[in-house]
Amino acid sequence: MDVDRSALQTGTQVRQVCRSGEFTGQTSGLALGFAQANLVILRKQDAVDFREFCERNPKPCPLLEVTEAGDPCPHKLAESSDLRTDLPRYRVWKHGELVEEPTEISHHWQEDLVSFLIGCSFTFESALVKAGLPVRHLDLGVNVPMYRTSINCESAGMFSGPLVVSMRPFKPADAIRAVQITSRFPAVHGAPIHLGFPEQIGILNLNQPDFGDSIPVESDELPLFWACGVTPQAVLMQAKREFAITHSPGCMFVSDVKEATLAVS
Amino acid sequence: MDVDRSALQTGTQVRQVCRSGEFTGQTSGLALGFAQANLVILRKQDAVDFREFCERNPKPCPLLEVTEAGDPCPHKLAESSDLRTDLPRYRVWKHGELVEEPTEISHHWQEDLVSFLIGCSFTFESALVKAGLPVRHLDLGVNVPMYRTSINCESAGMFSGPLVVSMRPFKPADAIRAVQITSRFPAVHGAPIHLGFPEQIGILNLNQPDFGDSIPVESDELPLFWACGVTPQAVLMQAKREFAITHSPGCMFVSDVKEATLAVS
C-alpha cells in the first residue's frame, strides 16, 4: 500500500495501481490536469429515471459519460479502463443501506448494470488555483463545506431531493474571477448558483455544514455557492433502490481526459 | 428638431440627422444593436500620453478606435462618418474649462487633432436587458449612479486620477449572470470590478453618487460596480490641457458596428 503518490501523474497510472490493489486512498491531487469523475452504478430498470434526473439537473449532475448496460468501460473518458477495478474504493448499497466498502466490485458485476460518470469539482478547483485564487479549504487541508439548500432539484421518477451546494469564500474581485473561471466549465458544475446571502437558499448557519468541514468566512469576503456532486448521491440514497454502487467519498475515477478540454472556450 | 426617434434605427441614420442639424439630443435607445462610443479629441502632443493612459487602464478606457492626426473619420467604426458633424452635441474645453457646447465642431478642426473613440456601457446594458435581467436605472428612467472610488488609475504623463465606477444592483443569481454576460464585452468595460462591499473601494454612501442619479438597492440585492467611461473625462478635465473636445454627456457617436461583434465569444 506504500505507493508513491507523486509517481501517479496520469489517469492510466492511477487506474493501474487501483487495479493491482496497491492503492486504495483518496484521489485528490493525483494525476493533476486529468479530469476525475463521480461514479454511480445502477440496474438498467433504475438507470432510465436516474439519467433523466441528471439531464434535468445538469448543474449538480453534469454527465461526462454513461456506459451501455453491462459494459464496464467508459470509452470516451478512458478507453483502457475497467470500472470494476480501477477506482481505489467503492460503496455497495442495498435498499439505501451501505453494505460493503470493497476495493473492487467484479463479484457484484452483472450484465444489466449501467454506469454514470459525473463531473467533479476537483476540475474547476484546479482551474481556480491555476488562476492564482486562494481556495480556503485546500489551503487549510480540509474538506469543502457542503449544505442542503431549500432549492429542490427537478425530480424524475423515484429520484428527488434538495440541491446540495459546496461553499468557497472569496474577496469581491476574486469572486468575480471565480464566476468567470468556473463559467467556462459547465461539465463540472459551472458557475456558482448563488453568492452573498446564504439564508436566501435556506442555509441558516454557515458554520454548520451538512457535509464536509466548517471553514472561516472573513468579514470582507462573500460566500459563493456551487451545485455539488453530493446531490446525486444524496438523492440516490433517499430513493433506496434495491441495488447501487458508488465510489467511496474522495476515491474518484481518474480519466484520460485533460481538464482543459472540458472548458467551453 | 422634431425628428422621429423611432425612425433612427441605424448608425448611418443617426449620424445623418446630426450632420444636417436636425437632431441634437441624447442617443440612448437610438439605433438599437449598434455600438455607441465616447469621444475625446486632443492635440497630437497630448494624444501620446492620453493613448498610453487608455492602454494602461483598459477597463475604464476601452479604446474602440484612434484616428490618425487630422483625419475626422474613424474608418473601422463607420467608414462614411465625420466626427466634426456626426454627433448631436459636443463640449469644447480650454485649460480644463468648458467654453462652448456646439452641435458641430468644423470651426475648431485642425490638422493635428487626434480622436479617441472609447467603448460605452450602453452596449453591455443592452446585452443585460436582452438576457432578461432587470436594469434598475433603465426601469426607473434615470441616469446610472456613478462614484469616484479610492482606486487610482495607472497614470501616464499628465493624465491621472481615481477610477470612476457605475453601479447596478442585482439579486444574487442575476448578479452571477451579469458577471458572465458583461465578461463577454471587454471592449465596453467588461466584467464588474467589484461587488458587495462599496466601502472597500471608498464608496461610503450608495445614496450619494458623484454623478448621475441615486437609485434604491434592496436588502436582498448586491451592488455591482463597473469601470465607467466617465473616468477618462474626469481625468481629462483634471489634466487641464490647453485644448480638448469631447461629446456632450449622453450625446454619443453612433457607429456602424453591431454590438454583438464586440463580444469575445
Side-chain angles (χ1 to χ4, degrees):
Chain A
M1 296 293 170
D2 289 306
V3 171
D4 176 7
R5 288 176 68 93
S6 67
L8 304 177
Q9 300 202 340
T10 66
T12 309
Q13 288 170 343
V14 174
R15 295 195 307 274
Q16 204 150 45
V17 290
C18 291
R19 193 179 299 189
S20 67
E22 292 167 89
F23 182 74
T24 60
Q26 300 218 353
T27 53
S28 173
L30 297 184
L32 286 176
F34 290 89
Q36 303 197 15
N38 299 284
L39 173 66
V40 170
I41 303 178
L42 288 171
R43 292 241 158 94
K44 201 170 182 175
Q45 69 231 44
D46 294 332
V48 178
D49 283 348
F50 188 72
R51 177 164 198 155
E52 185 58 27
F53 180 83
C54 293
E55 301 280 1
R56 288 181 184 179
N57 299 279
K59 292 204 84 162
C61 313
L63 286 176
L64 295 180
E65 185 161 2
V66 183
T67 63
E68 286 183 40
D71 186 349
C73 176
H75 297 275
K76 281 193 301 181
L77 290 178
E79 185 55 79
S80 69
S81 66
D82 187 329
L83 292 170
R84 299 170 294 192
T85 54
D86 288 2
L87 280 74
R89 194 174 286 278
Y90 302 79
R91 285 187 163 181
V92 180
W93 307 81
K94 293 199 171 167
H95 304 287
E97 301 279 316
L98 176 62
V99 295
E100 194 186 345
E101 206 159 355
T103 58
E104 59 110 353
I105 53 162
S106 303
H107 52 299
H108 287 293
W109 197 253
Q110 297 174 51
E111 284 311 303
D112 71 338
L113 293 179
V114 176
S115 301
F116 295 81
L117 285 306
I118 298 174
C120 160
S121 61
F122 288 174
T123 294
F124 80 64
E125 285 182 351
S126 119
L128 293 171
V129 169
K130 268 184 205 145
L133 299 191
V135 179
R136 179 75 32 85
H137 71 277
L138 296 181
D139 293 342
L140 295 176
V142 299
N143 204 343
V144 71
M146 293 164 272
Y147 308 84
R148 283 195 193 87
T149 68
S150 54
I151 302 167
N152 277 317
C153 293
E154 211 180 317
S155 60
M158 70 284 284
F159 298 107
S160 67
L163 175 68
V164 178
V165 293
S166 59
M167 188 276 290
R168 293 162 191 82
F170 291 102
K171 291 192 200 304
D174 288 344
I176 292 164
R177 292 279 296 137
V179 171
Q180 294 178 311
I181 292 163
T182 57
S183 292
R184 300 180 58 231
F185 289 93
V188 285
H189 307 307
I193 61 111
H194 188 89
L195 82 173
F197 301 101
E199 67 283 4
Q200 285 187 12
I201 55 172
I203 300 171
L204 302 182
N205 188 345
L206 276 186
N207 297 320
Q208 293 185 343
D210 295 306
F211 312 94
D213 297 310
S214 174
I215 57 173
V217 180
E218 305 301 335
S219 61
D220 61 350
E221 295 178 330
L222 292 158
L224 273 69
F225 299 92
W226 278 268
C228 177
V230 165
T231 307
Q233 298 209 27
V235 159
L236 185 64
M237 297 312 99
Q238 192 176 306
K240 299 189 191 304
R241 306 317 303 150
E242 187 256 332
F243 180 77
I245 298 173
T246 67
H247 66 283
S248 188
C251 300
M252 319 299 279
F253 177 73
V254 185
S255 77
D256 289 343
V257 169
K258 290 290 222 170
E259 288 177 334
T261 66
L262 296 179
V264 289
S265 67
Chain B
M1 295 294 171
D2 288 307
V3 171
D4 176 6
R5 289 177 65 94
S6 66
L8 304 177
Q9 299 201 341
T10 65
T12 309
Q13 289 171 342
V14 174
R15 296 195 307 272
Q16 203 149 46
V17 291
C18 290
R19 195 181 296 190
S20 68
E22 293 167 88
F23 181 75
T24 60
Q26 299 217 353
T27 54
S28 174
L30 298 184
L32 286 176
F34 290 90
Q36 302 198 16
N38 299 284
L39 173 66
V40 170
I41 303 177
L42 288 170
R43 292 242 157 95
K44 201 170 183 176
Q45 70 231 42
D46 294 331
V48 178
D49 283 348
F50 188 72
R51 177 165 196 151
E52 184 58 28
F53 180 84
C54 294
E55 302 280 3
R56 288 181 185 179
N57 299 280
K59 293 204 85 163
C61 313
L63 286 176
L64 295 181
E65 185 161 3
V66 182
T67 64
E68 287 184 39
D71 186 350
C73 176
H75 297 275
K76 280 193 301 181
L77 290 178
E79 186 55 79
S80 69
S81 66
D82 187 329
L83 291 171
R84 298 169 297 191
T85 55
D86 289 2
L87 280 75
R89 194 174 286 278
Y90 303 79
R91 285 186 162 180
V92 181
W93 306 81
K94 293 198 171 167
H95 305 287
E97 301 279 315
L98 176 63
V99 296
E100 195 186 344
E101 207 158 355
T103 58
E104 58 111 352
I105 53 162
S106 304
H107 53 299
H108 287 294
W109 196 253
Q110 296 174 50
E111 285 309 305
D112 72 337
L113 293 179
V114 176
S115 301
F116 295 81
L117 286 305
I118 298 173
C120 160
S121 60
F122 289 173
T123 296
F124 80 65
E125 284 181 350
S126 118
L128 293 172
V129 169
K130 267 184 207 145
L133 299 193
V135 179
R136 179 73 34 84
H137 72 277
L138 296 180
D139 292 342
L140 295 176
V142 299
N143 204 343
V144 71
M146 293 163 273
Y147 309 83
R148 283 195 193 88
T149 68
S150 55
I151 302 167
N152 277 316
C153 293
E154 210 180 318
S155 61
M158 69 285 282
F159 298 106
S160 66
L163 174 69
V164 178
V165 293
S166 59
M167 188 278 289
R168 293 163 190 82
F170 291 101
K171 292 192 200 302
D174 288 345
I176 291 164
R177 291 280 295 138
V179 170
Q180 293 178 311
I181 292 163
T182 58
S183 291
R184 299 181 57 232
F185 289 93
V188 285
H189 307 307
I193 61 112
H194 188 89
L195 81 172
F197 302 101
E199 67 282 3
Q200 285 187 12
I201 55 171
I203 300 171
L204 302 182
N205 188 343
L206 275 186
N207 296 319
Q208 294 185 343
D210 295 305
F211 313 94
D213 297 312
S214 175
I215 57 173
V217 179
E218 306 301 335
S219 62
D220 60 351
E221 295 178 330
L222 291 159
L224 273 69
F225 299 91
W226 277 268
C228 175
V230 165
T231 309
Q233 298 208 28
V235 160
L236 185 65
M237 298 312 100
Q238 191 176 307
K240 299 188 190 307
R241 305 318 303 149
E242 187 256 333
F243 181 78
I245 298 173
T246 65
H247 66 283
S248 187
C251 300
M252 319 300 276
F253 176 74
V254 185
S255 78
D256 290 343
V257 169
K258 290 291 223 169
E259 288 176 335
T261 65
L262 296 180
V264 288
S265 67

